[in-house]
Amino acid sequence: MTRNATIIASGSYVPPIERPNAPMREKFGEVVDKFQASTGIKTRWYAPNEWATSDLAVEAAKAALQDAGLKATDLDMILLGTDSPDYITPATSAVVQHKLGATKAGTFDIGCACASFPTGLNTATGLIMANPHIKYVLVIGAYMMHKLSDYENDVISFFYGDGAGAAILTASEKPGFISSTFFADGSYHKYWGIYSGGTYEPATAESVQAGRTQVRFITPFPATVNNEGWPERMRELARNGNFDLKDVDMALYTQVRLNSIQLVQETLGLPIEKAHWIMDKWGYTGSACIPMAFDDARKQGKIKSGDLVTFVGSGVGYNQAGSAFIMP
């Protein structure tokens, strides 16, 4: 018997507090219009101040469990992708397991920023295919970067919206997982990040006062990182999975710039209708954006049984990852 992994459910969560572009424009000026034109982002949503990333993740997990008709105690593993964790340690996935009541599940975190969800899909597939005792794996992407930013004074907070998305994978004899790809270039690790609070520079009163414990955009990434990197990851998925790119029914990318998605689809010879985006209504949700886009496309009927779906993400550092699945 061939043991494969397939995606059987999805869920997402958008928090309740809206921060549209208009008040940001009043504060930061015309640059907000330029950002909106290139990204397609018109608004973003924040969680209540007392919430942590784990709370967002739990809500998306509940939605995915409901979609699958499962209980939290049915889960064997929880993989959580985020670069805005509750704590440096312990793992946020363990907090999610506790809050969700998934008492039989093991957990670990994946810290590849916006590449975390395809990395999680590939990792979950490997766990399922290699371990007959693992039946259900929950993969979550969650993001609450606004809380780690100076969002009232830093114009780059334009890009930080909160949210979470999740998918549940299970073992199957039918087609599901097709292929994966991974890439990284760590020479960019000082371009965008939180640079005080870890072992490189433990937090001090001075580093907190200087803002180094908050997320900082230091140097722009070259446009080629996504505009050339995403097409290459897509081509690798096709080669590794022995399929033709024209057979892709839905291509999902990191939801940061609509212009990039349009350019990449054009580069690959794929119609824009074979992509989906959510930035216009939910903003850029980082580690959560790909699973949120996936869930939204499913709910809109844009992804159907038998469709070939690709997931390609870029995360600061930088990491890139891709995954391809046939939908059950």
Side-chain angles (χ1 to χ4, degrees):
M1 181 185 76
T2 301
R3 183 179 172 91
N4 201 349
T6 190
I7 300 171
I8 59 168
S10 64
S12 58
Y13 180 75
V14 180
I17 303 170
E18 185 174 12
R19 193 187 194 206
N21 286 357
M24 299 187 79
R25 186 179 299 109
E26 293 175 5
K27 190 175 188 67
F28 298 118
E30 294 181 0
V31 67
V32 171
D33 294 323
K34 294 179 180 179
F35 284 165
Q36 178 175 324
S38 66
T39 64
I41 295 172
K42 300 175 183 177
T43 191
R44 70 237 6 97
W45 300 81
Y46 292 167
N49 287 336
E50 65 271 19
W51 279 40
T53 295
S54 59
D55 296 306
L56 294 170
V58 166
E59 293 304 313
K62 288 178 180 177
L65 286 167
Q66 183 177 13
D67 187 42
L70 297 173
K71 304 183 298 294
T73 51
D74 293 322
L75 297 173
D76 298 296
M77 287 293 297
I78 299 173
L79 313 185
L80 175 68
T82 190
D83 55 342
S84 56
D86 285 16
Y87 318 106
I88 291 179
T89 189
T92 304
S93 57
V95 182
V96 171
Q97 186 252 22
H98 171 67
K99 290 182 176 179
L100 191 61
T103 54
K104 298 178 182 178
T107 81
F108 58 88
D109 286 9
I110 296 173
C112 302
C114 306
S116 292
F117 188 70
T119 299
L121 293 178
N122 296 335
T123 305
T125 295
L127 288 168
I128 288 169
M129 293 175 69
N131 297 276
H133 64 281
I134 292 179
K135 186 175 183 181
Y136 294 115
V137 180
L138 172 66
V139 181
I140 311 170
Y143 197 68
M144 195 184 275
M145 191 60 75
H146 100 268
K147 210 171 180 183
L148 302 179
S149 73
D150 182 8
Y151 65 92
E152 293 291 354
N153 300 296
D154 184 359
V155 68
I156 300 301
S157 66
F158 175 92
F159 291 95
Y160 306 136
D162 299 345
I168 296 175
L169 290 79
T170 192
S172 175
E173 296 180 36
K174 298 178 180 179
F177 172 79
I178 301 297
S179 62
S180 67
T181 182
F182 299 94
F183 182 79
D185 187 343
S187 66
Y188 291 88
H189 74 279
K190 281 297 187 74
Y191 279 45
W192 197 336
I194 299 173
Y195 296 107
S196 181
T199 56
Y200 174 79
E201 184 192 23
T204 63
E206 188 276 327
S207 74
V208 171
Q209 186 173 10
R212 293 197 299 276
T213 56
Q214 295 177 313
V215 64
R216 283 290 182 265
F217 176 64
I218 308 298
T219 305
F221 283 86
T224 53
V225 168
N226 292 341
N227 295 349
E228 295 181 7
W230 291 356
E232 188 53 33
R233 303 292 82 76
M234 288 285 285
R235 295 183 187 108
E236 289 167 355
L237 285 174
R239 287 197 300 269
N240 296 343
N242 194 30
F243 62 84
D244 195 302
L245 281 172
K246 70 176 181 358
D247 295 328
V248 172
D249 296 292
M250 178 59 66
L252 299 170
Y253 306 97
T254 296
Q255 304 285 297
V256 62
R257 290 186 184 275
L258 180 56
N259 286 356
S260 293
I261 293 175
Q262 292 169 328
L263 177 62
V264 168
Q265 289 292 92
E266 182 179 346
T267 298
L268 295 171
L270 297 175
I272 192 61
E273 291 77 17
K274 287 191 172 185
H276 186 69
W277 57 92
I278 57 171
M279 303 90 78
D280 54 330
K281 56 184 179 182
W282 295 331
Y284 169 61
T285 52
S287 306
C289 67
I290 294 179
M292 290 177 74
F294 173 60
D295 183 56
D296 192 56
R298 285 186 74 224
K299 287 176 178 174
Q300 292 188 30
K302 292 185 177 182
I303 295 175
K304 304 175 294 296
S305 177
D307 280 356
L308 173 56
V309 180
T310 57
F311 307 81
V312 170
S314 290
V316 293
Y318 70 88
N319 297 94
Q320 290 185 340
S323 190
F325 279 80
I326 298 288
M327 294 297 108

